[in-house]
Amino acid sequence: MAMVIFLWLDEVLSNLGAESFWLYPAVCVGFLSLSVWIVDCIHAGSSRYLAKRRPEVLPGFARLWPCCSWTPTSFADCRDLLVNVSHGVEETGQTVKSQMQMHEFVDLLNSIDEHLGQLKGQPQGATAAAPATPYLKQLDLDVAMPSEGFAHSKRLESLDSGLRWWGTRVQTNFWMGSSGCLTGLHTDDEDNFLVQCHGTKRVCLFPPECAKNLYVNAKYDSGTLCCDVDAFNPDYERHPLFHRVKSWEVVELNPGDVLFIPAFWWHSVLTTSRTSISLNSFVSRPSERLTRGVWRQLVQ
């Protein structure tokens, strides 16, 4: 059908004469845009989650996936993988990173875990200081561990048939940290599936219309907007407008749980267990790659 329409447009423009030749590129671009929009509507309509505008939790959906057997020790022998480790909450403060081998980060994480285990036995109010909480965040699994990234993308297709469509992009990130590791409040311009593999996390979610009360700051990174508010421990003196936020959700994630976070929903994620491993997968439909993807490249 698309080819028939295209040939008809070609015939019409040919009959208009040479003086109307400038219309040809404009009509072609318009036709292409319309075709992508139609396909995108069909794609979204056939998808279980990608067309939804509400978060949803699937308790235990991934509990039998291989990634849910991972622990930090599973990566203790990765001696050729260099990773960037974050220090502090990047979404609200200065971005500070250090590089180390994956096995070195695992050793660091295990030492923090042992320290937290010792603190657990101390009386409330003990003054022993916990070590800093370095966070391995957003490691591109498709680059660092290609076979795992490909396999995870295929497993996600069991969640939503829309992920099988041609042109749909799935990009998966690996996260590992200890208790207290925090991803500050932010929003992404892509749909997101968060799989909790090991340990537990707490997620605060706010609908897009709450933005005016969340103190959006100037930090921007590849489709991500960040906020100054700490959703888990808000300072109402510094951020009084946060009092006006009435619509928000708190989700507790256990191993095997999957959380769907729609594009543009504000969210903050806190590690609540001694160690945690998660995978998050950003999903973009073809039309979103043409529009938002181009915009990301322009503003970077």
Side-chain angles (χ1 to χ4, degrees):
M1 176 62 73
M3 182 57 68
V4 172
I5 296 174
F6 184 80
L7 292 174
W8 175 76
L9 286 172
D10 183 63
E11 181 68 21
V12 169
L13 289 170
S14 298
N15 291 334
L16 288 176
E19 66 276 6
S20 301
F21 182 76
W22 63 273
L23 287 172
Y24 195 86
V27 171
C28 289
V29 170
F31 173 71
L32 177 62
S33 300
L34 178 62
S35 301
V36 170
W37 179 79
I38 291 173
V39 171
D40 191 61
C41 288
I42 298 172
H43 185 183
S46 67
S47 171
R48 181 178 180 182
Y49 295 103
L50 301 184
K52 293 187 67 172
R53 295 298 92 198
R54 295 284 305 178
E56 185 169 338
V57 183
L58 290 82
F61 186 92
R63 64 185 181 278
L64 298 180
W65 292 6
C67 59
C68 290
S69 65
W70 292 346
T71 68
T73 307
S74 303
F75 304 93
D77 293 329
C78 294
R79 297 186 175 274
D80 297 320
L81 180 57
L82 190 66
V83 297
N84 292 314
V85 177
S86 298
H87 305 269
V89 183
E90 297 177 338
E91 291 75 16
T92 59
Q94 184 180 3
T95 298
V96 179
K97 293 182 181 288
S98 62
Q99 283 193 331
M100 61 183 74
Q101 297 291 339
M102 173 68 95
H103 72 93
E104 294 174 328
F105 178 73
V106 171
D107 291 342
L108 178 60
L109 205 61
N110 286 335
S111 68
I112 294 173
D113 183 36
E114 291 174 6
H115 184 84
L116 292 173
Q118 294 169 1
L119 287 180
K120 190 174 181 180
Q122 295 186 14
Q124 187 173 4
T127 58
T133 52
Y135 199 5
L136 174 53
K137 53 190 299 186
Q138 211 158 333
L139 174 68
D140 191 333
L141 195 69
D142 301 312
V143 174
M145 299 173 242
S147 59
E148 293 292 348
F150 178 79
H152 187 71
S153 296
K154 289 300 180 184
R155 284 189 287 269
L156 281 176
E157 291 178 359
S158 63
L159 273 171
D160 195 326
S161 61
L163 300 180
R164 302 190 185 101
W165 276 61
W166 178 86
T168 300
R169 175 182 178 270
V170 179
Q171 189 264 317
T172 299
N173 298 308
F174 177 94
W175 305 69
M176 181 160 61
S178 59
S179 178
C181 282
L182 175 69
T183 303
L185 190 60
H186 68 285
T187 185
D188 302 299
D189 66 357
E190 296 176 283
D191 292 330
N192 185 4
F193 290 94
L194 175 60
V195 178
Q196 185 61 24
C197 305
H198 164 76
T200 58
K201 282 186 171 179
R202 181 174 299 137
V203 185
C204 276
L205 297 148
F206 303 83
E209 59 268 21
C210 290
K212 60 183 179 294
N213 297 317
L214 298 180
Y215 294 87
V216 179
N217 60 38
K219 300 199 79 173
Y220 177 89
D221 178 31
S222 188
T224 298
L225 293 174
C226 303
C227 299
D228 286 330
V229 172
D230 182 346
F232 295 100
N233 186 28
D235 184 340
Y236 290 108
E237 290 188 3
R238 290 183 59 202
H239 307 124
L241 294 180
F242 192 63
H243 270 299
R244 299 181 182 178
V245 177
K246 304 300 181 185
S247 177
W248 58 313
E249 303 176 33
V250 178
V251 175
E252 305 287 346
L253 293 180
N254 295 299
D257 291 349
V258 180
L259 171 63
F260 172 67
I261 305 174
F264 302 112
W265 270 71
W266 303 91
H267 53 285
S268 183
V269 186
L270 176 69
T271 298
T272 53
S273 55
R274 283 165 55 176
T275 56
S276 169
I277 298 175
S278 307
L279 296 176
N280 93 282
S281 298
F282 289 121
V283 180
S284 287
R285 303 195 300 271
S287 65
E288 294 167 340
R289 295 178 66 183
L290 284 173
T291 53
R292 300 173 194 168
V294 171
W295 174 250
R296 281 186 223 117
Q297 296 301 317
L298 290 174
V299 298
Q300 280 185 336

